[in-house]
Amino acid sequence: MRLVPFDALSFFGENGWHDSWSDTRVINIKNYQAERQTKNEIDNIGVKEIA
């Protein structure tokens, strides 16, 4: 992908062109883990825990 003549502009867009071409994404792991924990907590509302 580095052969693209407008490589310097390839970061535009929600995920960047390189990320969409390679089907990858750069994430902030701390934010990801916090959001994942929050989602799990919401999903578990009303679920009976077995001790």
Side-chain angles (χ1 to χ4, degrees):
M1 296 302 161
R2 297 287 178 204
L3 299 175
V4 176
F6 45 88
D7 182 58
L9 303 175
S10 66
F11 63 89
F12 285 119
E14 184 178 336
N15 296 326
W17 297 335
H18 282 144
D19 288 343
S20 63
W21 289 337
S22 62
D23 199 24
T24 60
R25 178 180 242 179
V26 175
I27 63 166
N28 180 310
I29 192 68
K30 289 181 182 179
N31 290 347
Y32 171 76
Q33 290 171 337
E35 288 180 26
R36 189 170 152 198
Q37 180 179 355
T38 300
K39 182 185 180 313
N40 286 338
E41 290 171 356
I42 291 171
D43 288 345
N44 288 327
I45 291 175
V47 174
K48 184 176 180 180
E49 290 187 22
I50 301 173

